[in-house]
């Protein structure tokens, strides 16, 4: 079996010991897992994707039922509007690392102290537009953003 030597500073030995204790695996496997994660995250950044954190759930009065979720994606477009019933919508359109379209909505009921945070995932922008209200301007901007991408992520 091939060998690689790792040289560790005295001050960093505790990190290795803690990793073995927490990981419950061999140090070699832990290092490989960490390196694979490092490579994946480096590729993600190099290809222009960001770690995006969004809220999901709702807030009504003082009751908060919200969780944070995250994904890797690129912002394509967004818009906001207020409808006839004084409901405020803030909508963002993202391309995910798996080449899906994620629509993120923050809906706020003006004067009622109620907010809803939700997201939807679609195979393409056309399906997203069919199932959600997306302004023509935001849709066109998202199309331009998709067309101007110079890199394509291959999950192989």
């Amino acid at each position: 079996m091939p060998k690689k030597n790792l040289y560790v500073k005295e001050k960093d030995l505790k990190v290795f010991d803690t990793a073995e204790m927490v990981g419950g695996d061999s140090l070699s496997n832990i290092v490989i897992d960490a390196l694979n994660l490092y490579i994946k995250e480096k590729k993600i950044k190099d290809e222009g994707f960001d770690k995006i954190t969004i809220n999901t759930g709702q807030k009504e009065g003082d009751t908060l039922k919200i969780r944070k979720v995250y994904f890797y994606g690129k912002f394509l477009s967004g818009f906001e509007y207020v409808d006839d019933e004084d409901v405020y919508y803030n909508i963002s359109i993202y391309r995910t690392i798996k080449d899906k379209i994620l629509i993120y909505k923050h809906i706020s009921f003006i004067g009622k102290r109620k907010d809803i945070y939700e997201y939807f995932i679609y195979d393409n922008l056309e399906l997203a537009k069919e199932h959600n209200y997306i302004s023509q301007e935001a849709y066109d901007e998202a199309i331009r953003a998709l067309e101007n991408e110079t890199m394509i992520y291959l999950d192989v």
Side-chain angles (χ1 to χ4, degrees), residues 94-119:
Y94 297 93
R95 175 179 167 241
T96 72
I97 193 125
K98 299 283 186 175
D99 208 24
K100 304 283 186 186
I101 299 298
L102 186 142
I103 304 294
Y104 177 60
K105 291 183 182 181
H106 170 205
I107 305 166
S108 184
F109 297 84
I110 299 170
K112 295 184 180 161
R113 294 182 49 193
K114 180 177 180 180
D115 291 270
I116 297 173
Y117 304 89
E118 57 190 2
Y119 67 93

Side-chain angles (χ1 to χ4, degrees), residues 77-137:
S77 182
F79 65 103
E80 52 189 27
Y81 67 96
V82 177
D83 70 11
D84 295 340
E85 297 177 20
D86 279 345
V87 179
Y88 166 79
Y89 295 84
N90 186 335
I91 299 171
S92 298
I93 305 168
Y94 297 93
R95 175 179 167 241
T96 72
I97 193 125
K98 299 283 186 175
D99 208 24
K100 304 283 186 186
I101 299 298
L102 186 142
I103 304 294
Y104 177 60
K105 291 183 182 181
H106 170 205
I107 305 166
S108 184
F109 297 84
I110 299 170
K112 295 184 180 161
R113 294 182 49 193
K114 180 177 180 180
D115 291 270
I116 297 173
Y117 304 89
E118 57 190 2
Y119 67 93
F120 305 92
I121 300 170
Y122 300 96
D123 286 334
N124 58 56
L125 192 56
E126 291 73 26
L127 278 174
K129 188 171 190 226
E130 275 180 34
H131 292 93
N132 292 276
Y133 171 74
I134 297 176
S135 72
Q136 189 62 45
E137 183 179 315

